[in-house]
Amino acid sequence: MQNPDDPNNGGDLIADAREEIVGMAKQGMAHPSTKPVLTAGAIGAVAGAVLPVVSWPIGLVAGAGYMLYKRLRP
């Protein structure tokens, strides 16, 4: 049985992501996850623009999504 007090217990990823995104929206750049997620999104957008098959919006979403996931599940 998993400990419910453990922050890495593998709980509901969707609920955790929603809570993190709402916190980022309310606190803006003051939230600790905002800068890394935006940076990863920008890097993904540049990579998407350089790659021939992927466009920059897909790269942006992929980069930001990956960093958000890494912030939730290190």
Side-chain angles (χ1 to χ4, degrees), residues 48-73:
V50 172
L51 296 173
V53 178
V54 182
S55 64
W56 70 266
I58 294 172
L60 175 82
V61 170
Y66 174 76
M67 184 54 70
L68 181 63
Y69 177 78
K70 293 305 289 177
R71 297 287 294 183
L72 295 172
R73 302 290 188 261

Side-chain angles (χ1 to χ4, degrees), residues 27-52:
Q27 296 178 9
M29 294 301 284
H31 194 278
S33 293
T34 302
K35 291 176 188 171
V37 170
L38 289 177
T39 302
I43 292 170
V46 170
V50 172
L51 296 173

